[in-house]
Amino acid sequence: MVYGVAHDFSIAMGHDDSTKLPSNSKMNTFIESVLVQADYKPERLLQMLRAVQAQYLHIPQMAIEQLAAALHIPRTQIIAVAEFYSFLHLTPQGRYDIHISDSITDRMLGKEKLLNYLAEKLKVKVGQVRADGLVSLNNTSCTGMCDQGPAGLVNGYALTRLDHSRIDVIVQLIEQQAPLSDWPAEFFAVDEPIRKPGLLLNQPFNSGAALAATFARGLAETLAEVDSSNLRGRGGAGFKTALKWRTCSVQAATPHYVICNADEGEPGTFKDRMLLDLYADQIFEGMTLCAAIIGSDQGLLYLRAEYLFLYEQLQRVLQRRRESGLLGRNILGRDGFDFDIEIRMGAGAYICGEASAQIESLEGKPGIPRVKPPNSVICGYQRKPTVVDNVETFFAATHIAIQGGQWFAEVGTPQSTGSKLLSISGDCARPGIYEYPFGTPIEDILRDCGADDVMGVQVGGPSGTFISSRELQRRIAFEDLSTAGSFIVFNSSRNIFDIVQNFTDFFAHESCGFCTPCRVGTTLLKNQLQKIVEGNGAAVDLEELSELCLIVKNNSHCGLGDSAANPILSTLASHPELYLNQLKQSSFTPGFDLDATLAVARRMAQRDDDAAHLSQVEN
Amino acid sequence: MSGTLCIDGIAVPFSDGQTIIEAARTAGVYIPYLCHRPGYAPYGSCKLCTVKVNGRTNTACTLPAADGQTVISNSPDLQHDRQRITQMLFVEGNHFCPSCEKSGNCQLQAVAYHQNMLDNHYPHFYAQRELDASHPDILIDHDRCIFCNLCVRASKEKDGKEVFGIAGRGIHKRLIVNSPTGKLKDSDISVDDEAAHVCPTGAILVKRSAYLAPIGERIYDHHPISEVACERAVLEAGAATGYPSCDQTKLPQNGGPDSHYAATMPPAPDIKHGR
């Protein structure tokens, strides 16, 4: 399967001439091969479009026509998908398509200067394709490398630890049209710094152990263990896992599906990257035991596009499990228990981390969250009962199946049992992965990661909460600070507005646009915040900003809109004086500068006396 | 399942499968909406029908009615947000009512009047959108599209075609046409299709019909949308006039349905049900 591949890593970048002037028959043949590989299943549309994008650097009109006809779907669906996802395009991108991660942590590491330097060296503007078609350069939302940024992507593959000298080499390699396989391997190296392993990361594991324990104990008994563990979803929402699995298992409609949500898009989160990189076997085992419990024979792993570098190795893990009888037919010799897992790639859309949007995406559509009820556990993938769980949830379930619920429930707090993986980045000496029992205070975590002079911490990413230095006794727990794992530290040299603007822009960029308050409101928020930060806001603008926050929060369709105003709301609460200081002291702010507009007239009349100036506001 | 729910103090009966908004409409209780249309699959995107159901925010057009639900629709807070959401739609696109052929027949305009919307409130986006006048009988003025999805649903569910789709993400959403050129003239739409007539604004118009009814003699020139939306339903249901009340203590602070409208607009001519 080529779906995991953006531009083929091994093939020289000098594509065949098909990238310039695709000959009809050549493209027909290619699209046909893509269709065959996807078994003509329209739900694999995203995968097919990824392959087309990699081959032709965009989705050509001819491809749209051919795919629409072959899949019996309207071309509008294909265009809608191509326009929805950041890494699909209707116009050709560069043969080297570069994206630089625009997470706040990348910015703190000097990303803006590096981006400008890169643009200058490559002679291409950000957001554009160079005239010769060799290279295109863009910003992109957090690529999940906050512990080793500034980061980026080239043809979908992760670049880490960018600096001026690396950029010099990259520019050279691009101008020489060197294939990515000839680029220095260290440019693509992804470290997995596990700084503090705990309950789960310290557990030894043998492939099949959790399944064997599950079968030995019994399915209902194992579900009871998951229940008594009080495991709650690690994606942030904290829904009780056993309840989700039990609800799914009793649904009469068949088949049932297991989906592993590996669309870790919350800026500042990278713990799933580490789990998929180092603990994939345990994640797949968690999915498999879930399948046994809910009665499913098909699992899907939705891998975010930014983690393309993991695709091949994950396929190898799946293959090993098939060869060991841990996937496929009659798993572990258990008659009639068939289950397999397919990896599907995203294509750049934060919203697809939301379970129902992810299901839409897995069905080959734009990732627009569904109307609830019904919940996806009742009516999910292909309108069938579906369990969607986070990577870390399956990882924990694997060990609960082996060790039992009590073992897990003894750690943490009564409402938040077990441990939580945190992705720690920002202003600290030791960024990386930390595992803590739930209930751990922020100040302990800051001490461990070597953070001093702390101004604040963003817990849970942009959609989470900004914690000021006065609130460091608060704890990581569903009942206090709920988080999917993003933990960004800011020291006192940081400007809060840089942070809040970065987050607010992020939500405006990632809003799916389905509902009015989020589609229009997130852009209004971005503009209103900018007006105040740039010193053009009056007192009324601050009131307006607060009101707008609540309208977006209270009326939006899904969690994105619900949390899009959080960065402004939480900093307005913790640092009101900062906002007040930005305000103009005048009660009236004209919409345009009359005096500046008269400059042309003054020049023409060749006068610059007092009477040639007009002021709109009395000083 | 059937039963009774309570909307702003009014007892509203519902029948099996009805959403809150449909139960309300049938009983003559108006909850504003734009992306909803009776007989169409619920969509839930415009968010105008946002109500509080047993204390939780939800869209009345998507939530199934259930016995004993307490629904608040006309609280000052909800009415305020509804006005703001309508204003968002006005600044996002380019809606110039005085020069629009749909004026007086336009649901967006009528909803704005219902909410006593007197200005745009938000800075205008000055969106640059193109016009598709390619089709001999049907015009698309993208300036007026509010992405309600009704034309998409109409074409698919009612006409058995798939002429329309919505593409783009976030503020870059756009209505697209299923044809090789992307132009309406090359699609298989017909002027008799429901999709050609379903648009709640002036985004999709049938050519040469714009002024068949002169300004001043159009639907909402004489009847507020709160009456128009409910009248047909009330007729069909054969309901009597007047609202049976449920628990009076649950009435919103400033009165019942349309109190906001009634307080700020001249009284509408009395509409006689069964006329």
Side-chain angles (χ1 to χ4, degrees):
Chain A
M1 303 268 269
V2 294
Y3 299 142
V5 181
H7 301 242
D8 197 312
F9 202 86
S10 55
I11 295 173
M13 290 306 302
H15 278 256
D16 55 41
D17 51 4
S18 58
T19 55
K20 286 165 198 153
L21 258 182
S23 77
N24 287 7
S25 64
K26 220 171 186 176
M27 192 187 285
N28 282 339
T29 313
F30 177 78
I31 304 282
E32 189 58 37
S33 72
V34 168
L35 282 159
V36 168
Q37 231 155 5
D39 200 17
Y40 291 85
K41 289 200 156 73
E43 62 266 31
R44 293 190 178 127
L45 179 62
L46 224 65
Q47 317 306 307
M48 291 182 250
L49 294 183
R50 284 181 59 91
V52 174
Q53 172 78 42
Q55 180 71 17
Y56 296 106
L57 312 176
H58 72 304
I59 315 295
Q61 175 74 26
M62 249 175 59
I64 295 174
E65 296 296 325
Q66 193 179 341
L67 288 170
L71 297 170
H72 308 289
I73 56 174
R75 50 170 84 70
T76 44
Q77 183 183 339
I78 302 178
I79 296 168
V81 167
E83 288 189 5
F84 191 86
Y85 296 92
S86 292
F87 300 133
L88 300 176
H89 301 271
L90 293 175
T91 52
Q93 300 302 293
R95 276 181 282 152
Y96 292 87
D97 189 21
I98 300 181
H99 288 85
I100 301 298
S101 179
D102 197 25
S103 181
I104 186 67
T105 54
D106 295 292
R107 285 180 168 244
M108 287 155 66
L109 293 164
K111 168 254 162 186
E112 279 296 89
K113 270 187 184 163
L114 281 176
L115 178 65
N116 292 337
Y117 181 69
L118 181 58
E120 195 181 304
K121 295 278 280 187
L122 285 171
K123 299 184 183 65
V124 62
K125 288 205 173 79
V126 179
Q128 291 188 0
V129 185
R130 205 167 79 177
D132 64 358
L134 183 65
V135 61
S136 46
L137 182 61
N138 263 301
N139 277 302
T140 191
S141 298
C142 179
T143 59
M145 299 289 166
C146 308
D147 52 340
Q148 43 206 302
L153 301 166
V154 57
N155 296 347
Y157 287 96
L159 292 166
T160 55
R161 301 179 203 282
L162 291 170
D163 56 25
H164 282 84
S165 65
R166 280 197 179 183
I167 282 180
D168 286 337
V169 180
I170 287 173
V171 169
Q172 230 171 23
L173 290 163
I174 289 175
E175 297 297 356
Q176 293 164 0
Q177 308 198 18
L180 293 193
S181 49
D182 288 357
W183 288 29
E186 66 263 27
F187 286 16
F188 301 99
V190 177
D191 295 338
E192 303 296 359
I194 299 175
R195 307 282 186 183
K196 188 174 165 54
L199 181 70
L200 296 172
L201 293 178
N202 273 332
Q203 281 302 315
F205 177 75
N206 294 314
S207 278
L211 282 174
T214 299
F215 293 146
R217 189 191 289 117
L219 295 178
E221 290 75 9
T222 300
L223 181 57
E225 292 297 328
V226 177
D227 197 355
S228 68
S229 77
N230 202 20
L231 174 64
R232 296 169 67 176
R234 264 38 180 168
F239 193 84
K240 201 171 165 188
T241 304
L243 181 57
K244 192 189 281 186
W245 290 12
R246 180 169 294 122
T247 308
C248 190
S249 70
V250 299
Q251 297 304 313
T254 54
H256 296 179
Y257 292 100
V258 179
I259 294 175
C260 178
N261 183 345
D263 193 40
E264 181 180 48
E266 189 72 40
T269 320
F270 46 86
K271 49 101 186 166
D272 290 344
R273 177 199 79 202
M274 179 279 294
L275 286 176
L276 293 161
D277 200 357
L278 304 180
Y279 296 81
D281 209 24
Q282 300 175 44
I283 296 157
F284 291 139
E285 184 129 341
M287 290 176 72
T288 311
L289 74 91
C290 171
I293 288 170
I294 69 162
S296 166
D297 63 0
Q298 179 63 59
L300 295 164
L301 180 108
Y302 188 91
L303 184 65
R304 74 184 302 225
E306 291 81 350
Y307 292 170
L308 175 62
F309 73 99
L310 292 170
Y311 181 82
E312 290 299 332
Q313 71 187 61
L314 288 171
Q315 289 289 13
R316 286 195 293 274
V317 176
L318 286 178
Q319 194 49 40
R320 271 205 308 275
R321 289 184 67 84
R322 286 183 196 112
E323 286 158 9
S324 318
L326 297 170
L327 282 176
R329 301 188 72 83
N330 303 323
I331 290 172
L332 279 187
R334 197 176 162 92
D335 200 28
F337 178 39
D338 305 338
F339 181 68
D340 212 325
I341 296 169
E342 178 182 336
I343 302 173
R344 297 225 188 124
M345 298 288 301
Y350 165 74
I351 189 61
C352 291
E354 198 275 347
S356 69
Q358 183 162 107
I359 288 170
E360 287 283 299
S361 183
L362 284 165
E363 292 181 359
K365 293 181 275 187
I368 294 171
R370 288 178 177 174
V371 169
K372 281 162 232 158
N375 193 288
S376 54
V377 76
I378 291 161
C379 179
Y381 182 66
Q382 308 287 18
R383 305 277 154 187
K384 298 296 182 189
T386 303
V387 163
V388 184
D389 274 323
N390 181 261
V391 172
E392 188 182 344
T393 310
F394 286 120
F395 177 57
T398 294
H399 289 289
I400 290 166
I402 299 171
Q403 308 285 342
Q406 185 63 27
W407 164 82
F408 193 78
E410 278 168 3
V411 177
T413 74
Q415 293 107 310
S416 313
T417 54
S419 62
K420 185 76 195 82
L421 295 178
L422 296 181
S423 322
I424 300 185
S425 63
D427 294 316
C428 61
R430 293 177 292 279
I433 311 285
Y434 292 72
E435 183 180 8
Y436 284 101
F438 268 115
T440 305
I442 303 291
E443 52 197 356
D444 292 7
I445 299 168
L446 289 173
R447 197 170 48 241
D448 290 349
C449 71
D452 37 52
D453 188 24
V454 173
M455 172 190 69
V457 185
Q458 186 74 25
V459 180
S463 70
T465 317
F466 181 85
I467 297 302
S468 78
S469 56
R470 297 184 295 272
E471 306 168 82
L472 302 181
Q473 306 77 29
R474 293 185 65 180
R475 291 160 191 274
I476 298 291
F478 291 109
E479 63 272 25
D480 188 357
L481 289 170
S482 178
T483 170
S486 176
F487 192 101
I488 308 172
V489 185
F490 302 107
N491 68 24
S492 60
S493 76
R494 302 299 173 184
N495 180 340
I496 283 199
F497 288 129
D498 289 346
I499 302 163
V500 177
Q501 278 195 295
N502 178 259
F503 291 172
T504 305
D505 292 0
F506 166 77
F507 286 118
H509 180 255
E510 296 294 345
S511 166
C512 83
F514 172 76
C515 73
T516 316
C518 180
R519 181 181 70 244
V520 185
T522 51
T523 295
L524 287 171
L525 274 176
K526 173 182 162 172
N527 295 344
Q528 186 70 8
L529 178 65
Q530 187 182 355
K531 183 179 182 184
I532 291 169
V533 171
E534 289 178 354
N536 296 319
V540 66
D541 287 303
L542 197 52
E543 284 171 34
E544 181 56 44
L545 182 70
S546 313
E547 187 204 279
L548 188 54
C549 284
L550 295 180
I551 289 167
V552 175
K553 190 173 187 63
N554 294 338
N555 293 279
S556 289
H557 178 63
C558 77
L560 190 152
D562 180 48
S563 49
N566 282 359
I568 299 174
L569 284 170
S570 58
T571 51
L572 261 176
S574 63
H575 297 77
E577 71 289 350
L578 281 183
Y579 285 86
L580 288 169
N581 289 342
Q582 285 303 113
L583 300 183
K584 275 192 168 178
Q585 295 310 309
S586 119
S587 59
F588 168 70
T589 307
F592 78 109
D593 187 342
L594 179 60
D595 196 55
T597 313
L598 286 172
V600 180
R602 278 194 296 270
R603 224 171 29 246
M604 290 170 73
Q606 295 192 335
R607 54 179 282 197
D608 197 24
D609 54 299
D610 281 355
H613 288 271
L614 286 175
S615 172
Q616 294 148 285
V617 186
E618 287 180 28
N619 293 318
Chain B
M1 189 177 66
S2 61
T4 306
L5 59 140
C6 180
I7 305 179
D8 291 338
I10 297 160
V12 170
F14 69 90
S15 53
D16 190 29
Q18 267 188 323
T19 55
I20 290 176
I21 211 167
E22 276 305 299
R25 237 175 42 82
T26 313
V29 175
Y30 176 63
I31 301 173
Y33 58 83
L34 284 169
C35 71
H36 171 67
R37 187 178 171 91
Y40 278 62
Y43 192 61
S45 73
C46 77
K47 299 295 169 193
L48 280 179
C49 72
T50 298
V51 291
K52 291 262 185 197
V53 182
N54 299 336
R56 292 190 61 174
T57 302
N58 225 310
T59 40
C61 72
T62 59
L63 197 68
D67 199 31
Q69 276 170 337
T70 299
V71 179
I72 295 174
S73 172
N74 277 331
S75 72
D77 284 355
L78 289 170
Q79 286 180 325
H80 171 265
D81 285 9
R82 241 171 235 155
Q83 190 190 71
R84 287 284 181 262
I85 291 167
T86 311
Q87 286 165 323
M88 286 183 181
L89 290 172
F90 269 85
V91 300
E92 180 191 24
N94 298 303
H95 301 276
F96 307 114
C97 298
S99 64
C100 179
E101 304 92 310
K102 196 70 177 276
S103 184
N105 282 335
C106 173
Q107 288 183 37
L108 177 64
Q109 181 190 40
V111 158
Y113 274 126
H114 172 78
Q115 270 138 213
N116 191 34
M117 188 187 120
L118 301 176
D119 66 0
N120 279 347
H121 186 75
Y122 297 115
H124 205 277
F125 281 26
Y126 300 105
Q128 301 250 334
R129 299 186 190 163
E130 287 184 359
L131 196 85
D132 181 352
S134 63
H135 195 278
D137 299 319
I138 304 160
L139 173 84
I140 308 179
D141 186 343
H142 289 281
D143 276 343
R144 301 166 185 161
C145 180
I146 56 168
F147 314 110
C148 68
N149 198 256
L150 277 170
C151 59
V152 180
R153 280 173 282 165
S155 186
K156 185 171 179 160
E157 295 167 18
K158 308 294 178 184
D159 305 332
K161 305 175 183 178
E162 289 179 299
V163 172
F164 294 106
I166 293 180
R169 187 168 93 189
I171 200 65
H172 305 294
K173 276 254 179 298
R174 63 189 191 107
L175 180 67
I176 57 171
V177 172
N178 184 13
S179 76
T181 59
K183 292 288 184 197
L184 200 56
K185 73 175 162 67
D186 300 316
S187 75
D188 53 1
I189 195 168
S190 142
V191 72
D192 303 322
D193 286 356
E194 200 157 325
H197 302 270
V198 77
C199 182
T201 76
I204 300 176
L205 293 167
V206 173
K207 289 181 176 176
R208 299 175 297 279
S209 71
Y211 293 99
L212 289 180
I215 299 278
E217 293 179 20
R218 299 179 170 193
I219 306 167
Y220 305 115
D221 290 340
H222 297 287
H223 305 291
I225 194 167
S226 53
E227 290 177 8
V228 177
C230 296
E231 186 191 20
R232 185 175 297 274
V234 172
L235 281 176
E236 284 165 1
T241 48
Y243 299 115
S245 75
C246 45
D247 186 352
Q248 290 294 325
T249 59
K250 287 170 182 161
L251 276 170
Q253 286 165 12
N254 71 339
D258 256 338
S259 64
H260 194 71
Y261 178 85
T264 51
M265 292 290 289
D270 194 17
I271 186 164
K272 294 203 167 42
H273 302 302
R275 183 170 49 186

